[in-house]
Every structure is written in C-alpha cells, then in structure tokens.
Amino acid sequence: MQFDQSKCSVLKGFVTIKDGCAHVVPAAAVDLYFCSVSPGPCGGRLSTRTMLGRTLREVSAALKQGHITPTELCQKCLSIIKKTKFLNAYITVSEEVALKQAEESEKRYKKGHSLGDLDGIPIAVKDNFSTSGIETTCASNMLRGKGYVPPYNATVVQKLLDQGALLMGKTNLDEFAMGSGSTDGVFGPVKNPWSYSKQYREKRKQKSHCENEDSNWLITGGSSGGSAAAVSAFTCFAALGSDTGGSTRNPAAHCGLVGLKPSYGLVSRHGLIPLVNSMDVPGILTRCVDDAAIVLGVLAGHDPKDSTTIQDPVKPFVLPSLTDVSKLCIGIPKEYLTPELSSEVRSLWSKAANLFESEGAKVIEVSLPHTSYSIVCYHVLCTSEVASNMARFDGLEYGHRCDIDVSTEAMYAATRREGFNDVVRGRILSGNFFLLKENYENYFVKAQKVRRLIANDFVTVFNSGVDVLLTPTTLSEAVPYTEFIKEDNRTRSAQDDIFTQAANMAGLPAVSVPMALSNQGLPIGLQFIGRAFCDQELLTIAKWFEKQVQFPVIQLQELMDDCSSVFENEKLASVSLKQ
Amino acid sequence: MPRFPPSLNSSLDLKSILQHLQILWYLFLMHLCLELCRIGLSKKAFEAFHIKDVWNWPWQLWNENWNLNIVHYIFQNLSLFVQVLNRRCVEAAVMTGLALNCRINKKSLFDRKHYFYADLPAGYQITQQRLPIAVNGSLVYSFCAGKNRSQVINKTARVKQIQLEQDSGKSLHDDLRSQTLIDLNRAGVGLLEVVLEPDMSCGEEAATAVRELQLILQALGTSQANMAEGQLRVDANISVHHPGEPLGVRTEVKNLNSARFLAKAIDYEIQRQINELENGGEILNETRSFDSKLGCTIPMRDKEGKQDYRFMPEPNLPPLLLYDTESLPAGADPQQVIDIDRIREQLPELPSVTREKLVQQYGMLPEHSFTLLNEVGLLEFFQNVMKETRAEPKKVTSWVLNTLLGFLKQQNLAVSESPVTPSALAELLNLLDRKAISSSAAKQVFEELWRNEGKTPAQIVSEKKLELMQDQEALEQLCHAVMEGHPQVVMDVKKGNPRAINKLIGLVRKATLSRADPTVIKEILEKKLAS
C-alpha cells in the first residue's frame, strides 16, 4: 500500500509539472522530484543535496523500487531536451527510439526482470559512434550530406542498449571530433549550460552591468561538448564521448562533470568513426564518479571486432569507499606547472594536493621530463593518422559527393573540398606531408620514438611508487565563445590539449573530476592519471576526492526560465518566416 | 652500349633473362560470409555497379533484409570501422609458408599503403611492408622436356616472402560511355602475396611454376586458386640482361589470369625488351597489361607517375605473434594463439609426394603422374576406378589418360562433368580384363556410355551383342568358311607370305562382327592351314 502511495505522489508530481508549466520545467521541480524519490537516509531537501542526489545510481534505485517508470523518466528527459534545444547539445534526438526502448524497459520492470543498473536510464551518444538506423554525421557535411545511416551499432552503444539504456539522441561535436571547443561542427557551436546557471549569472551581475547576456555564452570545451552539455543540463544521466587528446576530459572540466578516458584497450572502438586509431578511446561523461564506474563496468572488455582490446575478462565493479588515504602516494608532475596555467586553477590544484596531504597521503613532486615535447609529437601522429583515416571519404561509397564528373580525380578533389571543413583539410594536408617518403623518418618515426619516451616517463614515475598523478585538466575555466574564436582551431587545440593528450600518447586511464567553482562561478576540474588498466583504482581515488570537495550542483532555474523565452522567440521567428 | 642477342633463340639463353614473379591469390577473409555473399548476390551475379550507383547499393542490400552477415561483410569493406585480422587467413598463410619451405616469422607487422582508387574503399590497403609473415622459401617445380616429353626436369624458384594483404575491388572501364564500373565484392578479402626471386627464364617455366603452386594451394585447401575467377592472379616482373651483368630495368605485367596468358605475356615482353634495346631504345620501369586478343603487352594508363604510398604502421592491428611448441605460453587458449608446429603436423600430402607415390605404387611413367594431377579431379577419378577394377594399373592409366581425357578435351568438359562414372569405367575394364569383350568392343561400349543413356557396360555388351564368341566350334566353322571362300589368300599363306594370314584373321573377325578374339582366330587358322 505504502508503495503504491509513493508512486501516486510521484505521478502527481509529474502532473503538476506538466500542467503548471507547459513550457517550463523549473529546475527546482526537477530537483524536488529526484529528492522525493531518493530512497537513501539522506533524502533531505534540495538545499542540502549534493550532486550525488541526482546520479544514475539513484535513479536506477528509484526505477527498481517503482517510484518512477522508464517511460516517465524518458518523457521527462525528452521535455528537457526540447526546452534546452538552444544549447545545441543534440544533433539528432531519437525520441521514438527512446520511447520504444522505455516501453520495453517498463515491461521488464513490471515482470521484475530488469537488466541491471542501466535499464531504463536515458543516455546520449556522441555523433561519431555508429548507431543502427539512426543518422550519424560526425558534424560534417561529408556524412550529413547524404544522410549516413549505419546498419550496425558501435560495440559500446550495443552494450549500453543490451543493458536496457534508453538512447535519447546523438550529441554535437567538432567536425570529426577535431577541436577543443565544440565550436567547429557543421551544426554550429554547443553552448555551455553553466552560461545560464544561477551561480555564474550572479557573479556576472556583481561584476558588470551593461554586457549583453546572450552574446556572452560560454563554450563547453570539446570535442565531446554536446555530450557534456547533455549530461550537465539534465537531459540524460550519462553520455558517451570520445577521447583522442582530451576530448572527453576537457568538456567535462568545463561543464562540471566527471569525464573518464579509460585505458587504451579496455573499451572497444568498433563503430567509433576513427580519428586517431592509436589514441582513440570511447569516453564516459557522468555527474559523479560512481556513475562513470557503472558505465565503464558495462563497456569494458574484449571485443573480437577490435584487436586492440585486451583479452582478460573484465567484470562490472562497485567502487569501494576509501576512508583512509594514508597509504596513497600522489604524484604532482612539475612540468605541468606552465606559465599559461591560470592562477585560479593553479591554486585549486595545490589546494587539492594539500587536501590529500592533510588526510595523510604522501604527496610528492615528480618529473615527466619529456612532457614539453608531447603536444608537438601528438600533432604529428594525430594528423598522420587523420590523413590516413579520412582517405575513405572519397564520395564513392557513402557520404557527400560533388556534381563534378569530368574525372575521378576531379570528383575526389571537389568532394573532399566541399565535404570537410578547414580544420579537417588542414590536418589531412599536414598528415600527408609527414607521411611522405622523404619526411617519414624525420617526423613520423621521430614522433613515435618520443612517444615511447613519454610513455616511459609515466612508467618510471609509477614504478617509483606513485599511485596516481594529480594535474589540472584545463588551463582555465570555460571562456565565452566570442573570446574562444579569436584563436584558430589549431592554436586552441594545442593549448587546450596540453594536460590531457599525454595520457592518450601513453594509453593511460585518466579522469577529470570537478573540484570547485571559480571566482566567476564556473566549474574547474582536476585530472587524475593512473597506471594502465588500473582504471578501478584510479576511480576509487577520484571518488574519495569527489566526496571531499563537494562540488556544487548546477542551478539551472534561470536557464529554464530563459528556455521559455528562447522557445517563444523561436516560435515567433518561425512564424514570421512562414509569412 | 651492350650488345643483345639478335634472335629469339639466343634470347632464351637461361642466364640472359631474369624475371621476378609476383603471385597473388586470395583467401576467404570472412570465410563463411563470402560464401553467403556469393549466394546472396547470385541474383545480380557479379553484375558491376555503376560508379554513380555505388552509393546506394549497400542500403539496397540492407533494405532487402538479407542475412546480417552479408551486410556486415560488405560494411567491413566499406568500413567506417576498425579492421580485425581473420584467424583463418593467418593459418592459411602459415600453412602455405610451410608448404613452400619458408621460415615463418614469429612476429610480423601490418602497414597501411595509401592511394586513391575507386576500387579501394578505405583509401588504403593493409599489407605487410616491413615484416612479412614468411620469408626465404622455395618452390620446386618440374616440367617434361625432350622427345615425347618424357624427360622430367626439376627446377627451383626461391620464394622471397609471403605477405598477408587485403584485396581491393574491381574496376571496369567502359571506354565507350566513358564510365567506370566498380565491383566491391572482393574488397577487403584476405590476400596472400607470394614474391618469387628472379629465378625463371621463360614463359613456360613461369607457367609451370604457377601451375605447381596452384596444385599446392589446392592440396592445402588455402585457396581454390582458380585463375579464371581471379582467385589466383599473377603480376610478372620482367627484365633482360647479358650474362654476368646486373639485372636490367624491369617492367611489370599486371593481373595475368591464366597460365597460358602468363607464358605468352612473358615471352612477348622478353622479345619486346630485347628488340627495344637492340634498336637503341630504353626500357621504362612501367606497369603494363596483357591484351589477350592482340597477344601483346600495353602500358597501363591509370597509374601515372610515381606514387608515394605514404606507408604507415596499421594502428588497429597489433604485431602478429606466432608460436611453436617450444615458445607456446603455458596454459594459452588454443583459440587465441597459433602454433606453427601444430599446423606443420596437419599439412596434407603435397603434389610432389603424390606423384612420387603414383610412380612407385603403380609403376606409372612420371609424365603420366603429372597429367593425372594437372587436371582437376582426374587423380580422384583414377583412384576410384582403381578401387573397383582388377585391371592392370597401366591399362587403367591408359584408358583414363587417353580415352577419357581425350573425350573430355574434345567436348571441353571438366572431369566432374564426365558422363562416364569411375564405376562404369571400372566395370568396362573388368569385362575387358576377363576377356569377355575385345578391346575394340570396349571402345564401342565406352562411346555408348558417353552418350549417357543410363545403361551399364554389361547391358550395352549384351544389347549390342559385343561379347566375345566363346563357342569354339562355331568359330572353327566360320574359319573354315572363310578359307573356302578365299583360296587365293590361303595359297599366299602357304607360299610363305606371313602377312596373308592377317587378311584371313580380318575376314573372320568381320564375319563375327568383331566379337572374336583375334589371337584365338589366329590359333584356329594356323592349325587349319598346317593340316
């Protein structure tokens, strides 16, 4: 009886939301709702809730206890997706697919046969993972032009669906994941939800009075900015990104999320449209470390379709709660203290180190002597593989094809000129230059050798007894779009990948965990880098850190208010266009 | 200025001409899937797709709800996804390497070779440029020479390396409508490339070596190696030089798809190069194709200039590690590792051994053993006949190689299409062996069997009354009658003309409708003439 009642009250809650605010879903209501279903002993009100209150794990518990149905949850998320459309987080919203999956999930719950923690949980997938029957664009005219619809699911997507997750849609990115802002895709830039947060707005009001609010929205970071915005704005509970040089950790840091780049070889890349095969890893974006662990537990493991995945069986795991860090050794790589690092990030970084030290951990300065060469070598290797991987887009088998048919060569040239943006073409050109017979030894081979040295740096440090490395994720907090585009993509990528790409070069697991808000009210994340295939250990430490810092929840009431006005404006615009 | 031999004969001086031979053939990368694919596509039966339509076709396949494997196979080719290596391909490569006496590399590497071509869906081919799977082997082949081709000469071509590759699709250029058709059915399928050292010196040698290789592959089961279907293709690199001088500039004749064309193309190219140099010209390092209608080689248009293939290590395929009994890690999952020694144990009998056995077991002439192996299915036919007949192996060999093969060749049929079954031939030979019919009657029975009217040899013999006359008395009467009717011939015999008796034998045979054994007739006649 009690059970039924609680379900009723939840449903009532929904009705009021729907009836009361036809266009608006106040974030407070969202919070309230999640609090009310929260079964834990700490089920207090919104003000006392930490971000953990709205995690995948909690929603999963609510689903299992019948406090909410997958369909209700799905519709809720769909409505938030619609209301936050202006963020440009999604390229494709797969509403029908999601609702159908929710229906099936609901049947399973009714029979008491849920598939696991992810059953009925809304997720989003970066639009460079192949999704069966759903258009996959890579935010490029090359694939979008003819509407590339893959006939198969990427292994990671399939694994999520096999667990009953609901696919809400495909998220925005830089074209072919080449960028660090999520500003260079054919569908336009992604807006950071924090631009509309109460925390940021209040700080801005204190500082300036006359600036135009709308033109000052912030970038999400990239290239998985759409996935980050989607999770950050509550449209889903976890999202897949891809991480080649920091593309998951960078937007996670800017959007106040946990961004995990697993060890290279732990998670299958089959179906991830390749950028740099030797560095690409599917990434995970969630609101807390535990959630990332749940998703990793589902995704990890050998895939016969990807020869680089490890053969050892991987079991889903639950992270232990560390209480004692006194046996830990945290390494602080001195080379990461660069002049470009903002003072705020720098002081938070040292605060974090002090936190560990004060709790009894050993914190030592370590050296990764080849760090300064890393970004240059990353550029050579990245562009070389990009040049190779982009060769398949020739307009013949799929994707865009130009109208020119005087010769095959002319067709290739025009197709690729029309299909790729400047960034992609630039990388193809430099990559092919590095691979020319006359340059191969001087660039590609040398960069590979340095890559080995970089990887060895990490091995040496870890062998010396260091458990994890603690570094900044980004140089600073998220910057406004207008500021960001003052530099070109290449310069930006070189700056923004500075702390993240070395983990890709060495194939190590790394996670960005939000620590605190900056003076401007924007999230700042720090990065933990672990030993290869010690992802679980890494996450355990990250979880302890997360618990200590109590990063605040994004407050989006204003965003939701704004949504309504944006929505109305859009409606008006479309009406006037029709006339 | 080097002098070159003026005539074709001298140009065939073994030392003066060297060729590099590259032999390609392919395996089933997606072994089962390719079969499925063929079945599935048989509606369109290898119909080429217009370049403009290529975009659509995988989707059409998808919409028709064909077997998922087929679609997967095709998408692997059009891959937006990472490549994986097929275990079967590696095993086939190791097996082939062992059969060709190669050293198998315990570690081999994969590379990408880049070029833009319409039939290369990924824009690069995966190959083994740096470290191939097998090196330093040899291919021993023999050919028959001399009078009656009865002298068997053994030759050895060194195998430089064997590498695993991916096949591309096929382009068909329609000059008339200036369009290109692309068939991607075989794109992405595994390919073994065997590179031979320049150890051959004429077209016939090359053709014989390729034939031997074909037999080896068929025996191994690593490829059907059907040249006409492109399962085995040969690129011949040809150069000429004077004895004692370094190798000349070489040309490459691509995609030779029959042993006959291979021999013709090589001999043509040798002569062309000699003529060119004799006339003060020079040989260009170029790619040529063989025009089978004109019987000559012509430069290929489509690969102009020098390509920079921008080789790069294949990041999706880690180094391929192979093991032997010694190095096999303890407790390794047999599904995850390849044990070279295990494959060596499982090697089937190779053609050279089979031939030797035939010679020893049946006292067969070596050249006959070659013919038996060279025709697909003929050896099996022969062995099946042998199982069911008491006839002498030599007799069986003669019937299979002369009569049966003759009939097959005349009608251009494969052994498998023969209307005469091994059992029928065995029964026929048994009749002959126990002298129930004469050998000329046997020929007649064979012709009847060839018409394939479902009758057994015994039925044909009794219907056509072909059995030998066993009635001695009747035969004696016939002989008597013939002698009576031809007194002049009898006189000749008696005068001492030994050939005259043959005429009498012939006449008696005619009277018996060829059903009597000539030796028996001769005996009776001699007895009668002597009395």
Side-chain angles (χ1 to χ4, degrees):
Chain A
M1 248 358 246
Q2 220 179 348
F3 179 84
D4 281 343
Q5 266 177 349
S6 74
K7 194 173 179 185
C8 265
S9 75
V10 168
L11 283 174
K12 267 183 204 157
F14 257 97
V15 173
T16 22
I17 290 164
K18 274 185 188 164
D19 290 352
C21 334
H23 306 290
V24 191
V25 182
V30 177
D31 291 339
L32 204 65
Y33 161 68
F34 283 116
C35 291
S36 70
V37 300
S38 153
C42 56
R45 311 305 300 172
L46 170 68
S47 54
T48 62
R49 300 295 296 170
T50 64
M51 64 177 294
L52 289 164
R54 262 162 295 186
T55 63
L56 190 160
R57 168 162 289 190
E58 294 240 346
V59 169
S60 182
L63 282 167
K64 278 176 193 157
Q65 290 168 18
H67 294 308
I68 183 173
T69 69
T71 308
E72 287 165 353
L73 192 58
C74 182
Q75 278 165 344
K76 183 94 229 126
C77 287
L78 284 169
S79 93
I80 301 177
I81 289 173
K82 277 172 198 156
K83 285 166 213 308
T84 57
K85 195 168 173 242
F86 68 97
L87 291 177
N88 209 8
Y90 286 83
I91 291 173
T92 308
V93 179
S94 48
E95 184 168 351
E96 277 175 37
V97 175
L99 284 169
K100 196 154 178 292
Q101 288 166 339
E103 205 178 296
E104 282 161 17
S105 171
E106 197 157 333
K107 279 182 204 158
R108 287 192 294 268
Y109 273 110
K110 271 183 186 151
K111 285 183 196 160
H113 296 146
S114 100
L115 296 169
D117 286 344
L118 289 182
D119 204 343
I121 303 288
I123 52 138
V125 172
K126 190 177 179 180
D127 206 17
N128 59 350
F129 286 94
S130 298
T131 42
S132 173
I134 301 171
E135 192 176 350
T136 299
T137 67
C138 287
S140 174
N141 274 327
M142 192 51 106
L143 286 178
R144 175 210 187 188
K146 281 237 176 149
Y148 172 66
V149 180
Y152 64 95
N153 280 320
T155 300
V156 284
V157 174
Q158 191 60 50
K159 282 185 163 182
L160 291 174
L161 297 182
D162 288 346
Q163 292 291 311
L166 317 179
L167 178 57
M168 307 310 286
K170 306 294 292 290
T171 59
N172 205 347
L173 65 157
D174 288 301
E175 181 162 335
F176 282 106
M178 297 184 209
S180 60
S182 300
T183 51
D184 281 324
V186 72
F187 297 97
V190 185
K191 296 179 180 175
N192 191 329
W194 283 86
S195 324
Y196 308 93
S197 71
K198 195 176 159 199
Q199 292 103 322
Y200 176 61
R201 296 225 151 176
E202 277 175 0
K203 298 277 181 186
R204 283 187 59 78
K205 270 178 207 154
Q206 291 165 12
K207 279 187 182 172
S208 61
H209 309 280
C210 52
E211 271 183 74
N212 183 351
E213 299 259 330
D214 282 342
S215 66
N216 265 293
W217 53 270
L218 311 156
I219 58 139
T220 53
S223 64
S224 312
S227 288
V231 179
S232 177
F234 305 113
T235 69
C236 61
F237 290 84
L240 290 183
S242 61
D243 196 312
T244 306
S247 283
T248 295
R249 288 160 286 160
N250 176 287
H254 286 330
C255 295
L257 298 173
V258 171
L260 171 66
K261 172 222 173 286
S263 297
Y264 184 85
L266 189 63
V267 178
S268 168
R269 304 160 304 140
H270 167 76
L272 166 62
I273 292 175
L275 173 63
V276 183
N277 302 105
S278 68
M279 299 190 213
D280 290 344
V281 183
I284 299 164
L285 290 134
T286 54
R287 283 178 220 140
C288 74
V289 177
D290 266 329
D291 289 358
I294 292 174
V295 178
L296 180 65
V298 168
L299 300 186
H302 179 65
D303 179 9
K305 289 174 186 145
D306 180 353
S307 307
T308 63
T309 50
I310 48 152
Q311 305 271 354
D312 313 337
V314 182
K315 283 183 200 149
F317 48 83
V318 176
L319 292 179
S321 291
L322 265 189
T323 46
D324 178 18
V325 291
S326 63
K327 290 197 180 73
L328 285 183
C329 179
I330 311 291
I332 309 289
K334 63 176 182 188
E335 289 81 5
Y336 281 58
L337 188 63
T338 63
E340 296 85 8
L341 187 63
S342 78
S343 58
E344 247 184 314
V345 176
R346 191 179 160 174
S347 78
L348 279 174
W349 182 21
S350 104
K351 221 172 134 188
N354 291 339
L355 175 65
F356 274 100
E357 206 159 27
S358 66
E359 293 292 322
K362 193 175 157 196
V363 178
I364 53 166
E365 186 185 271
V366 295
S367 174
L368 300 165
H370 298 94
T371 301
S372 59
Y373 309 109
S374 192
I375 192 79
V376 187
C377 293
Y378 171 77
H379 180 69
V380 173
L381 298 175
C382 169
T383 54
S384 298
E385 288 195 41
V386 162
S388 174
N389 283 324
M390 294 295 130
R392 73 196 68 225
F393 300 102
D394 58 7
L396 281 175
E397 291 85 12
Y398 39 70
H400 175 70
R401 184 190 297 167
C402 70
D403 298 325
I404 293 166
D405 59 357
V406 286
S407 76
T408 314
E409 283 75 16
M411 190 279 291
Y412 287 151
T415 296
R416 288 163 68 79
R417 189 179 60 240
E418 293 167 12
F420 293 137
N421 70 7
D422 288 351
V423 178
V424 179
R425 288 209 306 278
R427 290 202 192 181
I428 291 172
L429 280 174
S430 40
N432 276 324
F433 175 82
F434 298 137
L435 287 177
L436 285 177
K437 209 172 178 181
E438 69 210 71
N439 297 330
Y440 184 75
E441 286 290 328
N442 284 335
Y443 292 91
F444 189 85
V445 173
K446 262 193 194 149
Q448 288 284 34
K449 285 179 180 166
V450 178
R451 181 180 186 175
R452 168 73 65 181
L453 294 174
I454 291 162
N456 286 347
D457 280 355
F458 283 105
V459 172
T460 313
V461 165
F462 286 127
N463 283 348
S464 76
V466 170
D467 293 298
V468 284
L469 294 168
L470 174 64
T471 79
T473 310
T474 53
L475 288 168
S476 68
E477 75 233 298
V479 296
Y481 176 72
T482 45
E483 190 68 27
F484 186 80
I485 55 170
K486 282 179 185 161
E487 298 278 9
D488 66 23
N489 180 296
R490 212 183 82 189
T491 316
R492 280 294 178 194
S493 296
Q495 289 169 354
D496 296 338
D497 293 343
I498 191 98
F499 301 131
T500 47
Q501 41 72 39
N504 298 80
M505 295 279 274
L508 303 173
V511 61
S512 176
V513 182
M515 182 177 178
L517 295 184
S518 68
N519 292 336
Q520 288 216 73
L522 291 175
I524 289 175
L526 292 182
Q527 176 180 239
F528 292 94
I529 303 174
R531 291 194 180 95
F533 298 108
C534 294
D535 300 54
Q536 197 175 341
E537 210 182 332
L538 173 76
L539 289 176
T540 307
I541 297 168
K543 183 178 168 181
W544 179 87
F545 179 72
E546 175 187 62
K547 198 179 161 198
Q548 305 301 310
V549 297
Q550 295 284 311
F551 181 76
V553 176
I554 182 171
Q555 291 175 23
L556 284 180
Q557 291 93 330
E558 288 183 48
L559 163 69
M560 299 309 173
D561 295 343
D562 270 13
C563 291
S564 60
S565 63
V566 169
F567 237 61
E568 276 156 20
N569 286 341
E570 265 185 17
K571 265 186 193 166
L572 286 174
S574 64
V575 170
S576 62
L577 272 175
K578 272 175 195 165
Q579 288 168 345
Chain B
M1 182 70 205
R3 261 185 50 246
F4 281 86
S7 73
L8 182 64
N9 283 343
S10 55
S11 78
L12 284 174
D13 175 346
L14 292 188
K15 284 180 195 155
S16 69
I17 301 146
L18 286 159
Q19 298 145 21
H20 309 256
L21 266 185
Q22 282 189 336
I23 294 157
L24 314 166
W25 72 90
Y26 70 91
L27 300 156
F28 301 121
L29 176 67
M30 301 283 286
H31 191 70
L32 192 63
C33 297
L34 185 71
E35 295 293 319
L36 282 170
C37 192
R38 288 215 168 138
I39 298 160
L41 287 171
S42 63
K43 276 186 271 181
K44 299 189 175 178
F46 306 109
E47 160 194 317
F49 296 88
H50 185 268
I51 198 165
K52 298 251 176 202
D53 297 333
V54 168
W55 151 255
N56 283 320
W57 71 271
W59 278 265
Q60 284 163 9
L61 291 184
W62 179 246
N63 292 338
E64 282 172 34
N65 280 327
W66 281 351
N67 187 311
L68 193 70
N69 283 333
I70 300 172
V71 179
H72 258 257
Y73 163 74
I74 286 160
F75 272 87
Q76 179 131 23
N77 298 334
L78 301 181
S79 67
L80 272 171
F81 52 87
V82 298
Q83 300 291 330
V84 293
L85 190 58
N86 181 297
R87 180 187 174 89
R88 174 86 189 106
C89 275
V90 179
E91 286 171 342
V94 172
M95 212 181 233
T96 309
L98 292 173
L100 294 177
N101 313 304
C102 288
R103 182 163 65 79
I104 308 294
N105 280 327
K106 299 240 178 78
K107 178 183 173 187
S108 62
L109 302 170
F110 294 91
D111 305 275
R112 288 184 184 177
K113 176 181 177 178
H114 299 90
Y115 59 91
F116 278 106
Y117 206 67
D119 58 21
L120 191 70
Y124 56 81
Q125 178 192 34
I126 299 177
T127 179
Q128 295 195 296
Q129 188 228 3
R130 290 167 299 163
L131 197 52
I133 191 160
V135 291
N136 299 339
S138 60
L139 170 65
V140 181
Y141 60 100
S142 320
F143 60 100
C144 306
K147 246 188 271 170
N148 306 326
R149 307 184 61 80
S150 58
Q151 191 192 350
V152 176
I153 301 171
N154 286 320
K155 292 219 151 213
T156 303
R158 288 168 299 152
V159 175
K160 187 175 176 224
Q161 67 185 55
I162 298 178
Q163 69 213 35
L164 273 168
E165 294 190 340
Q166 278 185 311
D167 207 350
S168 63
K170 263 193 279 193
S171 294
L172 300 162
H173 304 286
D174 177 356
D175 289 336
L176 217 61
R177 273 170 283 184
S178 65
Q179 60 182 9
T180 300
L181 302 151
I182 300 165
D183 177 355
L184 289 175
N185 281 305
R186 68 172 197 207
V189 168
L191 189 81
L192 272 188
E193 180 158 324
V194 177
V195 184
L196 299 182
E197 297 282 5
D199 291 338
M200 282 171 270
S201 42
C202 69
E204 198 198 344
E205 273 188 44
T208 317
V210 167
R211 181 69 194 122
E212 183 68 16
L213 187 56
Q214 213 174 2
L215 289 174
I216 292 172
L217 297 177
Q218 284 161 354
L220 295 174
T222 52
S223 169
Q224 287 166 322
N226 184 333
M227 290 189 83
E229 285 180 20
Q231 290 163 340
L232 189 150
R233 309 192 288 279
V234 182
D235 295 346
N237 285 256
I238 300 144
S239 68
V240 299
H241 72 150
H242 275 295
E245 284 174 13
L247 302 186
V249 175
R250 69 188 193 193
T251 60
E252 182 173 20
V253 185
K254 278 228 169 266
N255 290 330
L256 293 159
N257 59 4
S258 89
R260 205 161 54 92
F261 292 160
L262 170 67
K264 275 191 172 178
I266 289 173
D267 290 338
Y268 175 88
E269 190 59 18
I270 290 169
Q271 196 51 43
R272 185 191 71 81
Q273 291 190 11
I274 291 169
N275 291 345
E276 191 74 39
L277 293 166
E278 290 275 288
N279 296 328
E282 64 172 334
I283 306 298
L284 300 174
N285 181 1
E286 62 182 355
T287 309
R288 301 173 73 88
S289 63
F290 180 67
D291 186 319
S292 55
K293 281 184 197 129
L294 300 174
C296 66
T297 65
I298 40 178
M300 278 167 83
R301 298 161 298 160
D302 39 38
K303 284 186 184 162
E304 289 159 20
K306 274 216 162 176
Q307 291 253 9
D308 188 327
Y309 289 119
R310 290 158 287 134
F311 282 101
M312 183 185 95
E314 168 57 65
N316 291 324
L317 298 177
L320 172 62
L321 299 179
L322 306 175
Y323 301 90
D324 56 21
T325 320
E326 266 178 41
S327 64
L328 198 67
D333 177 0
Q335 288 305 306
Q336 301 295 347
V337 292
I338 288 178
D339 181 350
I340 301 168
D341 290 329
R342 229 180 113 86
I343 294 178
R344 199 193 306 273
E345 282 163 23
Q346 290 166 350
L347 276 187
E349 185 179 285
L350 294 178
S352 56
V353 178
T354 312
R355 281 191 292 253
E356 216 166 282
K357 277 191 182 168
L358 286 173
V359 171
Q360 280 174 1
Q361 195 177 341
Y362 301 119
M364 193 180 283
L365 291 171
E367 60 264 36
H368 287 165
S369 71
F370 274 97
T371 319
L372 269 186
L373 261 74
N374 279 349
E375 295 298 325
V376 179
L378 198 60
L379 175 65
E380 201 190 349
F381 194 102
F382 170 80
Q383 283 166 336
N384 285 338
V385 176
M386 282 304 296
K387 270 183 220 156
E388 296 184 43
T389 185
R390 288 183 301 271
E392 286 288 303
K394 271 191 182 159
K395 197 105 201 168
V396 179
T397 310
S398 155
W399 271 83
V400 169
L401 291 187
N402 300 328
T403 317
L404 175 74
L405 199 55
F407 273 70
L408 289 170
K409 290 261 143 106
Q410 204 181 1
Q411 299 199 10
N412 213 5
L413 293 177
V415 177
S416 59
E417 296 168 309
S418 164
V420 180
T421 63
S423 309
L425 183 58
E427 190 188 335
L428 175 60
L429 292 178
N430 280 343
L431 291 172
L432 189 64
D433 186 57
R434 58 165 208 260
K435 295 198 179 355
I437 52 171
S438 67
S439 49
S440 61
K443 290 259 153 66
Q444 228 177 309
V445 175
F446 188 87
E447 279 168 39
E448 287 296 319
L449 284 172
W450 191 262
R451 280 188 212 125
N452 197 17
E453 284 162 352
K455 289 171 189 159
T456 65
Q459 282 173 328
I460 295 167
V461 167
S462 76
E463 268 175 34
K464 299 254 166 190
K465 295 196 170 57
L466 293 171
E467 65 277 330
L468 281 178
M469 279 183 74
Q470 306 289 354
D471 186 343
Q472 187 79 9
E473 219 167 287
L475 201 55
E476 279 185 22
Q477 275 177 14
L478 271 175
C479 287
H480 187 74
V482 167
M483 283 167 72
E484 292 271 281
H486 299 86
Q488 188 58 44
V489 185
V490 175
M491 279 302 287
D492 286 350
V493 179
K494 287 191 170 163
K495 273 181 193 163
N497 182 352
R499 282 188 207 155
I501 194 164
N502 289 343
K503 182 151 192 194
L504 287 176
I505 295 170
L507 288 165
V508 176
R509 282 196 69 200
K510 206 171 173 187
T512 66
L513 303 165
S514 299
R515 287 158 56 207
D517 187 344
T519 49
V520 181
I521 300 172
K522 197 178 174 191
E523 263 170 42
I524 298 170
L525 284 174
E526 276 171 349
K527 211 165 78 188
K528 283 189 183 292
L529 287 164
S531 62

